[in-house]
Amino acid sequence: MTYARNKSIGNYGERLAADHLRSLGMVVLAQQWTCRFGEIDIVARDGSTLVICEVKTRTSTRYGGPFEAVTGHKAARLRRLASAWLEAHDVHPPAVRIDVVSVVVPPAGAPRVERIAGVA
């Protein structure tokens, strides 16, 4: 698979994930926010909780599902990114949560979107 195709599928998955979060009543504050530590796919607000959301998009689960791609190392990086976002925006929410949204885009049929809240 080419880089451009992977990027296109990833962007599509992030759009689906943002729509899914909105359907759950969340407010999307930012998408693809970058800093020196990396990128946050989606920053949202769920009530008074700030949600840092990692989106994993796959076209198949042949090599494992999207949730399996979020390792302990990745979770630690997401915590650093959350701190950087809070500092950059000078906000102090009562709670911060890290969620993962899995998007599987099969060759035929509708994409499947699932979320696990509070992974790290």
Side-chain angles (χ1 to χ4, degrees), residues 32-113:
Q32 297 181 347
W33 183 80
T34 59
C35 71
R36 65 188 181 108
F37 299 114
E39 178 182 294
I40 297 174
D41 295 330
I42 299 173
V43 180
R45 189 172 35 83
D46 185 8
S48 62
T49 300
L50 184 77
V51 179
I52 303 301
C53 187
E54 176 71 7
V55 179
K56 291 295 183 186
T57 305
R58 301 286 185 269
T59 55
S60 149
T61 57
R62 176 181 299 168
Y63 301 106
F67 290 125
E68 295 173 57
V70 181
T71 62
H73 177 73
K74 180 67 174 183
R77 190 163 141 261
L78 290 168
R79 286 190 292 274
R80 280 194 306 278
L81 284 163
S83 293
W85 194 91
L86 291 167
E87 185 177 319
H89 293 84
D90 195 27
V91 294
H92 309 282
V96 177
R97 186 178 77 222
I98 297 176
D99 291 2
V100 177
V101 175
S102 159
V103 180
V104 177
V105 182
R112 293 185 312 276
V113 181

